[in-house]
Amino acid sequence: MNDRTLYLFDGINKSSVKTIVEQIMRINQYDDDKDKKEKDFKRLPIDLIINSNGGSVYDGLGLINVIDNSKTPVHTYVYGLAASMSLLIAVSGHKRYAGRLSTFMYHSVSTHIDGHLEHLKNRVDETQRLQNIYDEYILSKTKLHTDELHRVQEHQRNWYLSPDEALSFGIIDEIV
């Protein structure tokens, strides 16, 4: 399996994530088979190139589950923008890299809600649950602190970071 470079250049949705999930699973199956047959088999990493403004939290978390459970290491490379949900996907890499001209952006989870009052309450609760998952994951994989994320959420703004800032916060491991 020679082609181990995957691309996330679109918004995060079912169709953009589906192809990446299928390829990661296919490569893992191939590597599992080789591992059984060859004594000194070494898994070559999968490179996921990211330039995305984010998208669906549910679809992004699905991809992150696959990356987290991949026996074959997945290395993420941000060349361009890793914003919103694509930031969390970039953070999920077993090793994480960024180009010198890349940009990272964190903001709180957003949703579009309308309907009856009970439906609105339910949707607000679900959005808070997703925010907690997002924040707990990014805090577990980086050097960021809860107070930094709360500061951004309270001011209701986007937090843009340079590659140097991303490196200092442990969002990436190296600038390439």
Side-chain angles (χ1 to χ4, degrees):
M1 183 126 307
N2 291 333
D3 192 12
R4 291 174 179 259
T5 303
L6 310 175
Y7 300 91
L8 178 58
F9 278 28
D10 296 321
I12 297 162
N13 57 52
K14 283 179 182 42
S15 58
S16 65
V17 167
K18 179 180 184 281
T19 306
I20 297 168
V21 165
E22 288 172 343
Q23 277 299 100
I24 292 172
M25 294 178 88
R26 197 172 293 126
I27 292 167
N28 270 275
Q29 183 61 52
Y30 176 84
D31 286 356
D32 287 346
D33 292 344
K34 294 284 268 186
D35 202 21
K36 290 175 189 169
K37 294 175 185 171
E38 298 177 21
K39 182 181 175 193
D40 296 323
F41 178 73
K42 185 176 182 331
R43 292 173 187 259
L44 297 173
I46 299 166
D47 294 333
L48 177 57
I49 313 301
I50 300 170
N51 182 17
S52 171
N53 61 355
S56 167
V57 176
Y58 294 113
D59 297 322
L61 292 175
L63 174 56
I64 289 170
N65 278 322
V66 172
I67 292 170
D68 281 348
N69 290 299
S70 177
K71 286 187 203 173
T72 301
V74 177
H75 296 178
T76 54
Y77 292 81
V78 176
Y79 293 127
L81 177 66
S84 190
M85 195 61 219
S86 66
L87 169 64
L88 207 63
I89 292 169
V91 165
S92 74
H94 298 109
K95 291 204 175 167
R96 305 170 304 216
Y97 304 93
R100 182 140 309 275
L101 303 176
S102 299
T103 301
F104 299 82
M105 189 272 284
Y106 169 88
H107 63 185
S108 51
V109 172
S110 62
T111 186
H112 305 286
I113 57 175
D114 59 5
H116 300 287
L117 181 58
E118 286 307 312
H119 297 166
L120 296 175
K121 288 178 186 176
N122 182 272
R123 192 66 199 153
V124 167
D125 290 344
E126 176 60 3
T127 302
Q128 185 60 60
R129 185 184 77 85
L130 292 174
Q131 185 68 56
N132 293 342
I133 290 169
Y134 188 105
D135 288 349
E136 286 171 18
Y137 190 85
I138 201 166
L139 291 169
S140 74
K141 301 283 273 186
T142 68
K143 299 174 192 167
L144 287 165
H145 298 285
T146 305
D147 59 325
E148 291 159 328
L149 300 184
H150 286 294
R151 179 181 47 81
V152 174
Q153 292 166 8
E154 286 172 9
H155 296 294
Q156 297 180 345
R157 62 185 184 107
N158 298 330
W159 183 22
Y160 290 94
L161 298 108
S162 69
D164 289 324
E165 291 168 312
L167 184 62
S168 72
F169 283 117
I171 292 169
I172 57 171
D173 300 313
E174 187 177 336
I175 297 172
V176 292

